[in-house]
Amino acid sequence: FVRVYETIYNRLAEGYYQPGEQLPSESDLAGELKVSRGTLRQALLLLQEDGLIINHQGKGSFVLEKSLQLDPGIERLNNPLITYANVAVDQVKVEIQFQVATDKHREQFKLKPSSLIALIEIIYYSEGTPTGLAQIFIPYEVLVENHVELSDNDAVYEFYNQFIGQENLFAAGKVRIAYARKSTAAMLHTKEGVPMIMMEERIYQANRQVIFQKYFMLPDY
């Protein structure tokens, strides 16, 4: 589904599909891209999550107007998965992996082709029940510049926690409704397609974006 996402994302970026235009039907798109409709839906859910398209039930998917770029300088919020939870968060589970940056992340961070990016996924729990998920993306070069021991996941996570508290950072963020993709639903022990509150945050240092993070909040919590 990542390949399908990238294909449609690039079409949107290049103006192949215009704002307000309806995308081809799922059956037509799946046939054109030679994937199952299930795979296509995963890509479409990710495009919805990124605020690029919207699905109107019974009508299909439509291209959204290009979202306004927020001027850097908006005061950064505290971690919403803890600050706004209506239950006590008593445990977190952290997974870290390195992967090739997607087209979207290369554009965001101004990276060269084949650049690597670190993905930190943090699941927040209350009494054993998942209440939210954070996904944090940090360019490999940012870690190298800060002399982080890349083979040590604890060191990467500790760097993030210390780095995010610096006073010379600022952020632009937005909040919207997203719908759980298969992978997100599995991590949060919920059903695919359920609505969640999602916050995106771009963290800048000296006019350079150094972190991109998403928070997924289950409305019940």
Side-chain angles (χ1 to χ4, degrees):
F1 74 88
V2 174
R3 177 181 63 81
V4 176
Y5 167 89
E6 298 247 327
T7 298
I8 300 174
Y9 175 87
N10 286 328
R11 289 181 180 180
L12 293 169
E14 294 163 4
Y16 185 86
Y17 302 127
Q18 292 295 312
E21 181 181 345
Q22 183 175 4
L23 294 182
S25 68
E26 286 188 1
S27 57
D28 287 347
L29 262 181
E32 178 194 349
L33 300 174
K34 297 180 172 57
V35 294
S36 69
R37 290 182 69 174
T39 297
L40 175 68
R41 287 191 186 115
Q42 290 296 313
L44 294 177
L45 280 170
L46 186 53
L47 289 161
Q48 287 185 64
E49 186 177 295
D50 285 343
L52 299 172
I53 65 172
I54 188 169
N55 181 266
H56 294 296
Q57 194 161 5
K59 295 182 179 180
S61 295
F62 294 79
V63 182
L64 286 172
E65 297 289 336
K66 290 185 178 179
S67 57
L68 295 175
Q69 294 297 314
L70 299 179
D71 292 330
I74 296 177
E75 185 174 337
R76 189 161 55 81
L77 299 175
N78 292 324
N79 185 332
L81 292 172
I82 295 175
T83 305
Y84 304 123
N86 59 20
V87 293
V89 174
D90 52 26
Q91 181 187 3
V92 296
K93 179 181 177 182
V94 181
E95 296 285 347
I96 299 176
Q97 58 181 294
F98 288 90
Q99 58 191 36
V100 176
T102 64
D103 289 348
K104 174 186 174 182
H105 293 139
R106 285 199 297 273
E107 180 182 342
Q108 276 188 344
F109 292 110
K110 312 302 181 189
L111 300 176
K112 297 177 181 178
S114 302
S115 294
L116 291 178
I117 199 162
L119 167 60
I120 305 174
E121 291 187 311
I122 309 171
I123 304 175
Y124 295 78
Y125 294 86
S126 177
E127 297 183 350
T129 300
T131 59
L133 166 70
Q135 292 182 326
I136 298 121
F137 300 88
I138 308 175
Y140 181 88
E141 60 189 40
V142 172
L143 299 173
V144 171
E145 290 167 8
N146 287 276
H147 311 292
V148 180
E149 179 54 60
L150 301 175
S151 61
D152 185 344
N153 282 354
D154 288 340
V156 175
Y157 183 51
E158 183 180 350
F159 162 76
Y160 165 73
N161 283 322
Q162 292 180 352
F163 187 81
I164 205 73
Q166 294 186 64
E167 293 183 356
N168 64 341
L169 302 180
F170 52 94
K174 56 185 176 182
V175 180
R176 62 170 175 268
I177 298 298
Y179 299 88
R181 293 179 287 118
K182 186 175 182 179
S183 57
T184 308
M187 286 187 279
L188 293 176
H189 300 179
T190 190
K191 294 181 180 179
E192 186 177 347
V194 301
M196 301 178 295
I197 303 166
M198 188 185 81
M199 176 180 173
E200 283 186 347
E201 210 171 30
R202 299 187 184 203
I203 310 296
Y204 297 85
Q205 184 181 48
N207 294 320
R208 172 196 182 194
Q209 185 176 338
V210 288
I211 293 175
F212 173 64
Q213 52 194 20
K214 296 180 181 180
Y215 296 108
F216 299 91
M217 296 164 270
L218 292 172
D220 286 349
Y221 303 107

